[in-house]
Amino acid sequence: MSDIKAALLAQAIETPSWAYGNSGTRFKVFAQRGVPRDPYEKLADAAQVHAFTGAAPSVALHIPWDKVDDYADLAAHASNLGVRIGAINSNVFQDDDYMLGSVTSPDARVRRKATDHLLECVDVMDATGSDTLKLWFSDGTNYPGQDDIRSRQDRLAESLAEVYDRLGEHQRFLLEYKLFEPAFYTTDVPDWGTAYAHCVKLGPKAQVVVDTGHHAPGTNIEFIVAFLLREGKLGGFDFNSRFYADDDLMAGAADPFQLFRIMFEVIRGGGYTEDVAFMLDQCHNIEPKIAGQIRSVMNVQEATAKALLVDRAALAAAQSAGDVLGANGVFMDAYNTDVRPLLAEVRAEQGLDPDPMAAYARSGYFEKIAAERVGGAQAGWGA
Ligand code: RM4
Ligand code: MN
């Protein structure tokens, strides 16, 4: 049990700066009280998640949403708050120039502009001490014949190679895939295989990131995780939940069993190390944002605790004996264990309140930011 506690204590779950701002659907972005007005306030909110869970020590930035004049100053602010800057997320999807694609655009000027933005993100990594660049491309086409599918792969490869060459010794990039949306016919990085093939060609500093919301219904995500880990190409996760498409709901909300199965493959595959980043990529459209992040961190911790509890020796014995029901029973025993008391103990040992949700609610932080943050423009998706 103490090994499991130690493993849980070591887990770090990164929260995204954009989860603290307003977000919504393409129909409506709802404004909430107390929402941060700048990246500094986003970091302050993220620090609350860390303060109450002890498990969220880093914060992902999104550029240009989190553009500031002095990134070293922003990093120092993070450190004063007890957190640090995590992955730098690029944004080549919100400029009119990118209507036909960014790094895959048929227009060389647009491709140059997009690649320059990715290089600028590496500059931000240098200035903040971040070691991870996360690349998601909305690129694709809407109609058959619209553009040459294969040429777009060539353009993508060319841009990725330029960014790869710019990475410092201790930096890496994670290439994210997504089945569809906003492109509806072809997507240039639609699946793990495409991301994997580009990363293999580039080298060890290029790895795949699995956003749990970016698959077709029924996709066996834990298989992808097992495969990528075996190949040394799993760089991390963007955890969130989906019921339909890319719903970006709280991790572990839609399918906690899937999250457990994923975490089991991570542990089984030797990926429960600092090399695999556990990041949240969520948008809290209707729920309070800081509490939504705390809940998500706790859900990831619960799935992890259950995965750590799997009796691997008993599982292996049942598997090699061909004992189908026995093996499944070992697996389900772990999943059906109530790990909340164990996590409460881990928190108490860290000097934290065993119930982070209740402790945050009692802290008065929300009332404080709701009163203080009036005036100015609230941060929001696309702002
Ligand atoms: C994308 C993708 C990226 C995230 C943006 C906000 O769908 O998942 O990871 O940075 O959304
Ligand atoms: Mn994502």
Side-chain angles (χ1 to χ4, degrees):
M1 195 56 92
S2 66
D3 283 359
I4 294 181
K5 277 190 183 171
L8 289 168
L9 265 171
Q11 188 172 35
I13 300 159
E14 181 162 311
T15 75
S17 69
W18 54 100
Y20 303 100
N22 286 321
S23 60
T25 64
R26 65 183 190 275
F27 300 105
K28 169 72 181 164
V29 171
F30 296 104
Q32 290 191 17
R33 290 197 305 145
V35 155
R37 294 160 299 181
D38 59 41
Y40 287 81
E41 290 182 348
K42 292 182 198 175
L43 287 172
D45 289 2
Q48 291 295 304
V49 177
H50 186 47
F52 288 99
T53 62
S58 63
V59 190
L61 299 186
H62 216 296
I63 309 296
W65 297 342
D66 295 321
K67 214 174 172 112
V68 291
D69 292 334
D70 186 344
Y71 287 102
D73 184 62
L74 188 67
H77 174 71
S79 144
N80 289 337
L81 292 163
V83 291
R84 63 184 157 74
I85 306 295
I88 304 300
N89 287 247
S90 58
N91 184 327
V92 283
F93 51 89
Q94 284 186 312
D95 189 300
D96 283 339
D97 271 342
Y98 300 140
M99 188 168 76
L100 300 179
S102 63
V103 296
T104 66
S105 166
D107 183 338
R109 181 191 64 82
V110 173
R111 295 203 295 276
R112 186 67 257 152
K113 173 174 168 169
T115 304
D116 283 345
H117 169 71
L118 306 183
L119 297 173
E120 178 199 344
C121 287
V122 185
D123 294 340
V124 174
M125 292 166 71
D126 290 341
T128 55
S130 163
D131 57 11
T132 302
L133 173 65
K134 183 142 64 70
L135 303 173
W136 173 67
F137 299 103
S138 63
D139 296 40
T141 66
N142 274 5
Y143 293 98
Q146 180 190 317
D147 196 8
D148 186 61
I149 293 173
R150 181 161 163 169
S151 301
R152 292 176 73 93
Q153 286 300 309
D154 296 339
R155 298 170 198 149
L156 171 67
E158 198 180 312
S159 171
L160 290 177
E162 193 177 336
V163 178
Y164 189 90
D165 288 344
R166 164 68 180 83
L167 292 173
E169 205 189 330
H170 300 293
Q171 295 174 337
R172 62 174 176 166
F173 74 56
L174 307 184
L175 182 55
E176 181 168 354
Y177 59 91
K178 180 177 175 181
L179 177 64
F180 85 109
E181 195 199 37
F184 294 119
Y185 169 54
T186 58
T187 294
D188 294 306
V189 190
D191 51 30
W192 71 267
T194 309
Y196 172 76
H198 281 283
C199 289
V200 165
K201 204 163 257 182
L202 288 163
K205 291 189 223 164
Q207 291 179 304
V208 181
V209 57
V210 175
D211 183 312
T212 46
H214 288 188
H215 304 84
T219 300
N220 185 328
I221 299 175
E222 60 269 29
F223 174 83
I224 299 169
V225 169
F227 185 94
L228 289 174
L229 265 175
R230 184 171 179 276
E231 300 297 330
K233 280 295 181 194
L234 181 69
F237 290 94
D238 269 4
F239 282 133
N240 52 57
S241 288
R242 52 159 288 161
F243 285 100
Y244 299 99
D246 187 21
D247 305 336
D248 282 336
L249 298 171
M250 294 188 297
D255 191 347
F257 185 41
Q258 179 189 60
L259 190 54
F260 159 78
R261 299 191 312 261
I262 290 171
M263 287 310 307
F264 175 76
E265 288 307 328
V266 170
I267 293 160
R268 156 69 183 90
Y272 195 67
T273 68
E274 282 177 0
D275 297 340
V276 174
F278 302 118
M279 301 175 284
L280 304 178
D281 177 11
Q282 300 176 179
C283 293
H284 303 298
N285 300 349
I286 58 169
E287 66 274 45
K289 291 146 202 313
I290 297 171
Q293 288 290 287
I294 292 175
R295 168 63 71 205
S296 304
V297 168
M298 293 173 70
N299 286 350
V300 175
Q301 289 182 304
E302 285 175 24
T304 305
K306 291 177 183 206
L308 288 163
L309 277 173
V310 173
D311 183 341
R312 300 262 301 277
L315 184 66
Q319 288 173 342
S320 60
D323 180 0
V324 175
L325 294 179
N328 179 245
V330 170
F331 212 65
M332 296 311 295
D333 268 350
Y335 178 65
N336 288 320
T337 305
D338 184 356
V339 293
R340 291 172 299 180
L342 171 64
L343 283 161
E345 269 176 48
V346 170
R347 290 182 189 116
E349 282 171 23
Q350 280 174 286
L352 297 171
D353 192 294
D355 183 347
M357 291 293 285
Y360 168 70
R362 272 196 317 269
S363 73
Y365 184 80
F366 175 74
E367 290 71 20
K368 181 171 160 284
I369 56 174
E372 277 174 14
R373 294 177 184 169
V374 284
Q378 290 193 320
W381 206 89

